[in-house]
Amino acid sequence: MFVITFGIRFVMFAFAGKITFPVWMQQSLKFVPPAVLTAIIVPAVVMPFGDMDFSFSNVYLLAAIISVVISLVTKSLLKTIFFGMLVFLLLKFLIA
């Protein structure tokens, strides 16, 4: 298993600077990280316990909404993470 995992990663790093993608592919690949993160985060936020929950008692949803507002205001990733986690913990202890 180690050999297979190492082999896959080694090939990717070995050819990292030697392969150039066409412009259209480079532009398309810019959308991959936001799409993957959205696919991971949205279900965790709106279905924290397996069922859809859009109520005010869903601290995950409230903290996510507040984190989006914080990110739009501050434009800082570090501040968004810090204050988002702070808001989540406060809501978790106050509501839940």
Side-chain angles (χ1 to χ4, degrees), residues 7 10 19 22 41 44 53 73 75 83 87 89:
F10 178 76
I19 298 174
I41 292 171
D53 185 9
V73 170
K75 304 267 193 253
F83 289 113
V87 166
L89 291 173

Side-chain angles (χ1 to χ4, degrees), residues 25-58:
M25 185 179 281
Q26 289 177 4
Q27 291 174 344
S28 299
L29 288 174
K30 290 180 184 178
F31 296 104
V32 171
V36 170
L37 287 173
T38 302
I40 293 170
I41 292 171
V42 170
V45 168
V46 298
M47 298 187 312
F49 302 108
D51 295 325
M52 293 282 238
D53 185 9
F54 292 104
S55 66
F56 287 111
S57 63
N58 183 355

